[in-house]
Structures are given as structure tokens and as C-alpha cells.
Amino acid sequence: MDRNPSPPSSEAEEEEGDAVGNTVYSKHWLFSILTRLIEVISPEKTEPTVSPGGIQTELDEEMENDICKVWDMSMDEDVALFLQEFNAPDIFMGVFAKSKCPRLTEICVGILGNMACFQDICMSISKDENLGQVLLQRLCDSDSPTLLETSRLLLTCLSQPEVANVWVERIRENPSVYDCVCFIMSSSTNVELLVKVGEVVDKLFDLDEELMLNWIKNGTCRSVGPSVDDSPEELPDFKIVPCILEAAKQVRSDNPEGLDVYMHILQLLTTVDEGIQAIVQAPDGGKETWSLLYDLVCHELCQPDDPPIIVQEQKTVLASILSVLSAMFASQTEQEYTKMRKSNVKLPFSCYFILDMPLIGSLIRILQYMEGCGRRSVDNSKESEQGETGRADVNEEDFHLKILKDICCELLSNMLQELTKENTLEGLHQGHLNEQTCSCAFQNLLPLYFASVESFLEVLREADQTLADNLEKRFPSLKV
């Protein structure tokens, strides 16, 4: 059964001129529901389901069914405009201010979310400063369904270019949003809510680097956060990276799209130096981040028993994950070399996560799978030469695969350059390195990463001279 009842049959046919726009819905019926909604939040109303303060805490079944019908109907633009004309947003503000009924609050935010899907109404809602502030306060609600509808509404507004900056500025000036979002990401087990909140954060960071920088640097002081009784409550000293990781762990098994969202948020963090430092200079030195991403690449995504085409389905999440791993690797490499210069002694490359052969094996497997997808893409391109749309789809696939290949090659080349004889022997023993995998790596890395391949080949000569000779024969450019 759907969450919301279906819209009512119309009374408009019985009374000429009563139809809302070009719909079959009744103006009179809609107006009566708005009137009853005002009565619901009126302190003078007394029902068995009111709190000691005189405010209703639960909806009776009939009222809930009717207001849910309005929720469904508000997806129609004519109905949304009618609600806007009769000041429904102002009525909803009264609900948010006075109602103690979570279900009523959820429905009213949901109706606003539907109305905001239409550009003119979205602009009107967004420019109402009081309504904007009240809606942001809903992020501090303790009711998960209300939080979900609030996040959906915010994402809808942030996706409208005409008003996105209004909301970005409003959120930037409201520090409690950071605390509420971090609280949700770090504590909620509602996957649907976590995905929607993640989409809001992803959109915010993509729209405004300044806001992202502020959130990266945030967490140095305690702030007011959600409380069931609306009284101020101190929240933990949130840091953005651990909150993102906690949410990613919650969604990884149940929602692949949600995992993609949170991996992209991490990738956006690495586009600024402050974000990379927030990851690698965490109290655990970035271990938790690396462990999660490593586990996803080596044990969950693009596995040996998957068909090669899987890389096409997972290309965006893989690109985000490998981009973060690459940024972390480069940062840790730089720190190691800094230590080496200061001590004037060649230190071993000691970072706990760097030279892991299963990860190198996974990177090569991704490149192998992409070669198969590349051949398939060429075949599809030939078949679709007569259709412009077909070619556009293939070109888009090629573009995303190229991004993934570039990121994968950069990380692989950096890791190969740091391998020792011991690491290489380990890789040969475990089967991650052999003539087939090394040939695939060289084929993709040359000529751009010639120095890395040459460095690795030198080490490989010490570990397996025969394999090194065979690879030199396959790739004559490597011969001295």
C-alpha cells in the first residue's frame, strides 16, 4: 500500500467553476482542508489527542487522510498554484510553530516540497526569509520522516539555479545546519534519510567551495542541536569526515546510489588541500577512511567473479573512491619524503596502508575490465552510426570510463614506483603480479608514466628476471 492515500474524486463536476485550473479537483474541498488545518493548530481546539498545553499531538484518521490527499494533489502545478494563492505556506509556518504532531509537520513539509518543484513557487518560497529560517530549523527535528521531507525540499530548492545561491547563503549563515546534518549522518540508521541528506551535502559542496571549507574547518566549538523538547542541547564536537564515513557505512550494503553520493562527497573534499588534510590528519591518521575505501575496492566492487561489464555500472563510485585513495597516497608520500629530507636518512616507506598488493591487483583488474568495455563501446558506436542519440550515449560512457582510467592509472603508477623487491615478491607469490597483469598495467601506463614503469621494471628484475625480460620484449621502448 502507498504511504499516502490517492487524491479524492472531484466535486468540481457538480459545481461549475469549482475546478482547480485544468484539474478535476475542487477548490471548495481544498479550501475546507486549509481551514481545518488552521483549526487543528488552534489552541482553543480541545480534543482527546491534545497535549496539556492545548495543542493537538496526533491527527484523527479522517484529517490525516484528507491532508495526505492534498499532499498527493500538490504534485499538480494547478493545485500547487492554488495552494500558493491561498497562502498555504503561511499556514504551514503556523503548523511548524505550534504543532506538536510529527505526522502533521511531515505532511506539511512534504506538500511544500511538492510545490517547490515548480519554478515560480520555488522562488517565492525561497525568497521568504522567515519561511526559509523555519524550514532550516526542521533539520533539528527528532522525527525521521520530517527530516526526510525537509531534506527533499532543500535538495529541490538547491537544484533550482535561480534560487540555489539564496539557500547556500542562508545555510552558510546558519551554523546549526552543520551540527544537525552531522548529527544525522553520524547517528541515523534510516538509509533513505541518510541518502537524501548526503545528496543535500553533495549539492552544497558542489555549489559553494567556501561553504565546504567552512564545514571542513568547523567542529571547534559546541553548538545547539536537535532536542525532543525543543530546549537547547549540546552536541558532540562534530568533524565532517567521521560523520561522512559513518553514513557511508550505513548505506553501503542497502543503497549503491547512496554509497556513490558519499564517495563523491569525499572526493569533493580532496579538491582542496584543507579537505585532504582533514582526512589524513584525523586522530587515526586516515586509517578509517583508507580501510573503508580499500575494503570497497578489494572486496566489494569490480570483483574477479563479476562480469567485466560491471565496471560500466560502477564507474562513477569507483572513480570517486580511487580519486580519494590517490589524494591520500600522494599526501602520505609527501609526508614520508619530508621526514626523509629532515632526517637526511632514507626512511622505509612505512605508512601502514600504502604498499598493499591486493589493491594493486584490484587496480589492474579494473583496467582489464575497462579494456573489455572499451571494445564493446567501439562495437556499439559502429552499430549506432545512423542514430545521433546512440552516439551521444556511447560518447558519455566513454567519457566516464576515461575519467576512471585516468584516476586508476595515476594511483597505480604512484604505487608501482614505491614497490620494493620484497613487495614485488609478495605480489608474485599472491598472483597479483604476473605476465598478464603486468602487461595490462604497462599497456595502460605507457608512455605517460614511463618513469614509474621503468622504476618498477628495475625492481622486478631483482625479483623475477625472466618475467622482466619477457615484458621488455613485449614493450621495446623499455629496453635500455
Side-chain angles (χ1 to χ4, degrees):
M1 180 180 292
D2 293 337
R3 177 179 177 82
N4 301 322
S6 299
S9 56
S10 173
E11 298 175 6
E13 297 175 0
E14 301 174 10
E15 185 176 340
E16 187 176 354
D18 188 45
V20 177
N22 293 319
T23 74
V24 294
Y25 303 131
S26 165
K27 291 180 182 179
H28 177 77
W29 184 87
L30 273 170
F31 190 77
S32 70
I33 299 303
L34 293 178
T35 303
R36 287 169 60 195
L37 188 58
I38 295 172
E39 293 174 354
V40 165
I41 59 174
S42 172
E44 289 78 19
K45 184 175 175 62
T46 56
E47 295 286 347
T49 55
V50 297
S51 67
I55 304 298
Q56 191 167 341
T57 57
E58 294 181 13
L59 284 175
D60 62 70
E61 185 176 350
E62 182 184 358
M63 182 60 190
E64 181 172 350
N65 286 338
D66 285 343
I67 194 69
C68 280
K69 290 172 186 175
V70 177
W71 190 357
D72 283 335
M73 294 162 62
S74 63
M75 290 187 290
D76 186 289
E77 185 171 8
D78 286 332
V79 174
L81 289 169
F82 176 85
L83 293 173
Q84 174 77 0
E85 181 183 352
F86 281 89
N87 299 319
D90 290 340
I91 297 173
F92 296 153
M93 278 188 64
V95 171
F96 303 148
K98 298 179 181 180
S99 174
K100 299 295 182 181
C101 175
R103 177 64 170 153
L104 180 59
T105 303
E106 173 205 356
I107 296 169
C108 290
V109 177
I111 295 172
L112 275 177
N114 284 350
M115 294 171 65
C117 293
F118 306 105
Q119 183 177 335
D120 290 343
I121 300 176
C122 186
M123 292 180 67
S124 175
I125 291 173
S126 300
K127 291 178 180 179
D128 187 329
E129 186 62 30
N130 291 331
L131 180 57
Q133 293 297 334
V134 168
L135 289 172
L136 290 184
Q137 290 171 12
R138 291 300 96 211
L139 287 173
C140 296
D141 206 292
S142 58
D143 180 59
S144 290
T146 298
L147 289 172
L148 176 60
E149 292 307 318
T150 303
S151 301
R152 185 173 73 89
L153 171 58
L154 289 177
L155 184 62
T156 299
C157 294
L158 289 168
S159 300
Q160 297 265 11
E162 297 80 9
V163 299
N165 288 338
V166 174
W167 286 98
V168 169
E169 185 65 27
R170 188 174 284 147
I171 291 170
R172 192 191 299 136
E173 294 175 352
N174 195 327
S176 67
V177 174
Y178 169 87
D179 290 294
C180 295
V181 166
C182 285
F183 181 79
I184 294 168
M185 291 193 296
S186 62
S187 63
S188 178
T189 57
N190 185 320
V191 171
E192 190 178 4
L193 171 59
L194 287 172
V195 173
K196 194 58 65 178
V197 167
E199 289 175 344
V200 170
V201 174
D202 188 42
K203 191 68 176 178
L204 283 171
F205 286 2
D206 195 37
L207 286 169
D208 193 80
E209 185 176 294
E210 181 185 344
L211 183 142
M212 181 172 72
L213 287 169
N214 289 342
W215 282 25
I216 291 170
K217 298 171 185 176
N218 215 328
T220 56
C221 59
R222 297 186 180 275
S223 306
V224 174
S227 175
V228 176
D229 59 1
D230 290 334
S231 61
E233 176 185 320
E234 283 193 344
L235 288 176
D237 191 11
F238 287 122
K239 302 291 184 183
I240 190 69
V241 173
C243 295
I244 293 170
L245 293 178
E246 188 59 39
K249 292 174 187 176
Q250 286 288 335
V251 305
R252 64 181 289 188
S253 300
D254 299 323
N255 195 300
E257 292 78 14
L259 179 64
D260 199 343
V261 168
Y262 279 98
M263 293 303 100
H264 190 253
I265 294 173
L266 284 177
Q267 182 184 4
L268 288 173
L269 292 182
T270 64
T271 60
V272 294
D273 186 61
E274 293 86 346
I276 298 173
Q277 298 309 310
I279 294 173
V280 301
Q281 293 184 1
D284 62 358
K287 182 177 180 181
E288 185 179 0
T289 303
W290 185 276
S291 296
L292 174 62
L293 303 188
Y294 170 90
D295 192 44
L296 289 168
V297 173
C298 295
H299 301 130
E300 194 164 317
L301 301 172
C302 203
Q303 293 302 291
D305 55 349
D306 289 328
I309 193 64
I310 195 70
V311 77
Q312 189 68 265
E313 298 176 15
Q314 300 173 350
K315 56 184 178 290
T316 56
V317 67
L318 281 170
S320 296
I321 292 171
L322 297 185
S323 181
V324 178
L325 290 175
S326 186
M328 293 181 70
F329 184 93
S331 177
Q332 292 290 351
T333 304
E334 183 179 347
Q335 291 180 29
E336 290 292 324
Y337 287 142
T338 300
K339 292 177 186 176
M340 184 178 69
R341 286 196 301 269
K342 287 182 178 179
S343 61
N344 204 27
V345 177
K346 184 171 177 59
L347 300 173
F349 204 71
S350 58
C351 194
Y352 58 86
F353 52 66
I354 292 299
L355 299 176
D356 191 281
M357 295 312 303
L359 179 55
I360 290 178
S362 295
L363 295 176
I364 296 174
R365 181 168 61 253
I366 291 169
L367 291 173
Q368 289 174 317
Y369 283 9
M370 277 194 287
E371 287 179 353
C373 285
R375 288 191 292 271
R376 177 176 174 273
S377 178
V378 170
D379 293 340
N380 287 343
S381 182
K382 290 178 180 178
E383 293 174 4
S384 62
E385 284 181 356
Q386 303 302 318
E388 292 294 330
T389 303
R391 280 207 299 274
D393 291 342
V394 170
N395 289 338
E396 186 177 354
E397 287 182 0
D398 290 345
F399 174 74
H400 288 295
L401 284 175
K402 183 181 185 305
I403 292 175
L404 175 57
K405 179 181 176 181
D406 291 345
I407 296 170
C408 189
C409 286
E410 180 181 7
L411 177 56
L412 179 60
S413 68
N414 287 337
M415 297 189 77
L416 290 180
Q417 200 162 14
E418 299 298 337
L419 288 180
T420 64
K421 178 183 177 181
E422 290 72 23
N423 300 135
T424 305
L425 286 170
E426 178 188 356
L428 291 167
H429 176 70
Q430 295 176 350
H432 299 298
L433 297 178
N434 53 47
E435 187 167 346
Q436 182 185 13
T437 58
C438 289
S439 295
C440 176
F442 287 12
Q443 182 72 37
N444 285 278
L445 294 178
L446 292 172
L448 184 60
Y449 298 102
F450 182 89
S452 296
V453 174
E454 190 176 45
S455 172
F456 168 65
L457 193 59
E458 275 188 40
V459 176
L460 185 60
R461 285 194 188 97
E462 299 178 28
D464 190 330
Q465 181 68 50
T466 302
L467 177 55
D469 291 341
N470 291 341
L471 289 170
E472 275 193 337
K473 292 176 184 176
R474 282 198 177 198
F475 300 91
S477 63
L478 293 172
K479 290 183 179 179
V480 178

